[in-house]
Amino acid sequence: MAVVPQVAAQSTSEGSPSAPTARVRLAVNGVRHELDLDTRQSLLDVLREDLGLTGTKKGCNQGACGACTILLNGRRVVSCLTLAAMHDGATVETIEGLEKNGELHPLQSAFVEHDGLQCGFCTPGQIMSAVGCIAEGHAGSPDDIRFWMSGNICRCGAYPGIVAAVADAAKRV
Amino acid sequence: MLPFTIEKVRSVEAAIAAASSGRRLIAGGTTLIDLMRDEVEQPQQLVDINALPLSEIRVDRSDLVIGALARMADVAAHPDVQRLHPMVAESLIEGASPQLRNMASIGGNLLQRVRCPYFRMLDAACNKRSPLSGCAALGGLNAGHAILGTSDHCVATHPSDVAVTLVALDATMRVVGPKGERTFLVEELFRLPGDTPHLEHTLLPGELIVEVRVPGGPVGRRGRYLKVRDRASYEFALVSAAAALDVADGVIRGARLAVGGVGTRPWRMRAVESALIGKVPDRKVFEAAARLALEGALPLSGNRYKLELLPRTIVRAFEMTGGIA
C-alpha cells in the first residue's frame, strides 16, 4: 500500500490553529494515510476535507439520514457521529473504493439498472449501507431489505428502486 | 464543537482514574458527539474506553452476561441472547438504525440522554440542560413526552428500548469505581426528574459500567417487545412494552411488564403484573390488568393519546407472547 503523509489541515470546518490535535493512521480504500487532525474532526470530515473523498455525503450531520455511511473495519457506520481521533489504525471503505479495475461493484450496477436514485445525494450512503446489509445476511426479502436499510433516508422517495437494486445485487455478490 | 483533548485508556483502572478526575468517558459516541456538536455537552477532556476488554457476551449458569462495551448489533445477533432472552434481541433491533447499532454500546445505551427537542435547543428553557431555566416542553410541543414520573421541572421520556426490557427482566448491572464495585438493578440506575432533572442516573463519580446481567428462567424465553411509533422502523417509541408471561397448566404463574415512551425512566408495571397472577390468560384479563397501568398518569397538552395507546400496547404485547393457552 502507498503511504501518503499529510500535514495538519487548517481548512476543515472544525480546524483552528490552537485546538488539540491527534495523530491518526487510517487505511482508506487500500491507501494508508498518516494525519495530524483536530480532535473535533469526524471521520466524515476527514474523508471529505482532508482526503478529498467527497463521495461520502454530509446530510444531517447528526446520525439520522445515513448519507455518510461507510464501512469502518468492515462494519457499516455513520461517519458523522464518530471522531477520527478514536480510530487510529482503522480500515475504512468508501464509495470510491467499490469500483475495481474500471468495473462497477454489482450494487452500483444494480442501482443504475433499477433506477435506485433520483437526485443521487443519498446514493453513496445507500450503496455502502447495502454492502453491509448484504454481508450481514439481511437482504433475504424485500421486507427484510426495507427494515435493514431503514437507516438510509431518500428524500426523493426512490425506495422501490433501492429495494429492487439491493435484492438483485444480493443474488450476485 | 468546542475544543477538547482525547486519550485512549487500556485498563479499567485507568478509566476509573480518568473519570474520577472529571474527564468524560466516550464509547460509541453516538449520543455524546451529537450533543457536543450542538454544544449541549461541553467536555474538555475525553477518554476513549473502547480498548477496554468489556465487549464479551457470555452465559453464566443460566444468566446472560453482556459486557458494557458490547455493541447493540452484536448483542442482538448473539445466538445465546436470541435463545435465552429473545426480547432483549428484539428490543435492540427495534432501536436506532443498523449503522448506529454497529456503533452504540450497551453501557452507553443505558446512559443515553433524552430526545426532548428543547434539551437540544440552546436558546430554549430546559432544566435538564440548564438547571432552574424552566421547561419549554410543558407549554410547547410535547406529543412525545412522558405521562408517568414527570414533574413541573421535566417531562422528557427515557429514550432507550433495551432498557425497558432489562428493567422488565430484573437485570442487574455491575459497576466499578474508586471505592470498589457495586451491583444493583438496572431499574435503580435511573432517577426520577423531581426538581433535579439534570441528575439522571445513580452512578457515583468515577464509576464505570462493567456488565449487565439478565437472570435466566422461563419468563424471559417467551417475552416480547412491542414498539409503537410514527413509522415502521428507525424511530423512537410513542409507547412500547416489554411483556413476558410464565404460563403453566393454563394459568399465569409469572408476569413481567415494563413500558417505554411514557415514563421519565423505563417504567416497570408491578400492579399490572400482580393482577395477572393466577388468571387464565385471555384478552379480557389482559385488558383489565392493563387499565392499572394508567394509575398516576398525568397527560400533557399534546400526549393525551398515550392514555389510550398505553393499555392497548400492553394488551397487544401480552397477546404476542403466546401466553394465551
Side-chain angles (χ1 to χ4, degrees), chain A residues 39 61 63 69 80 150 152, chain B residues 1 4 37 74 99 102 233-234:
Chain A
T39 56
N61 208 32
T69 302
C80 72
S150 62
N152 293 80
Chain B
M1 206 185 287
F4 57 86
R37 194 168 279 144
D74 295 327
Q99 292 96 316
N102 277 338
S233 68
Y234 195 18

Side-chain angles (χ1 to χ4, degrees), chain A residues 14 16 19-22 38-42 45 61-66 69 75-83 85-88 125 129 136 146-153 155, chain B residues 1-6 8 26-31 33-34 36-38 44 46 48 50 71-74 93-103 115 120 229 231-234:
Chain A
E14 305 283 8
S16 85
T21 60
D38 186 311
T39 56
R40 293 170 291 182
Q41 286 184 272
S42 66
D45 284 341
N61 208 32
Q62 53 183 15
C65 76
T69 302
R75 293 158 66 106
R76 51 176 164 159
V77 302
V78 281
S79 58
C80 72
L81 276 195
T82 197
L83 300 170
M86 293 167 67
H87 299 291
D88 184 33
S129 189
E136 294 159 14
R146 279 185 207 100
F147 185 82
W148 289 92
M149 287 294 293
S150 62
N152 293 80
I153 310 289
R155 285 288 84 129
Chain B
M1 206 185 287
L2 302 177
F4 57 86
T5 60
I6 185 163
K8 206 174 191 80
I26 185 166
T30 54
T31 290
I33 292 167
D34 194 23
M36 285 168 63
R37 194 168 279 144
D38 289 342
Q44 296 180 348
L46 287 183
D48 178 353
N50 287 298
R71 264 45 191 181
M72 291 173 70
D74 295 327
I93 287 169
E94 293 292 313
S97 68
Q99 292 96 316
L100 292 167
R101 295 195 293 271
N102 277 338
M103 305 167 79
R115 310 303 299 197
R120 284 157 193 266
R229 47 188 158 174
R231 55 184 172 194
S233 68
Y234 195 18

Side-chain angles (χ1 to χ4, degrees), chain A residues 59-135:
Chain A
C60 68
N61 208 32
Q62 53 183 15
C65 76
C68 66
T69 302
I70 58 164
L71 300 185
L72 175 62
N73 298 323
R75 293 158 66 106
R76 51 176 164 159
V77 302
V78 281
S79 58
C80 72
L81 276 195
T82 197
L83 300 170
M86 293 167 67
H87 299 291
D88 184 33
T91 299
V92 172
E93 289 164 77
T94 71
I95 189 74
E96 288 91 344
L98 285 189
E99 179 194 318
K100 301 280 186 242
N101 306 319
E103 292 271 316
L104 290 181
H105 184 279
L107 267 164
Q108 292 174 306
S109 304
F111 267 68
V112 173
E113 287 163 29
H114 292 276
D115 288 328
L117 63 141
Q118 286 182 42
C119 83
F121 189 84
C122 73
T123 311
Q126 298 279 0
I127 289 177
M128 295 312 292
S129 189
V131 172
C133 181
I134 292 170

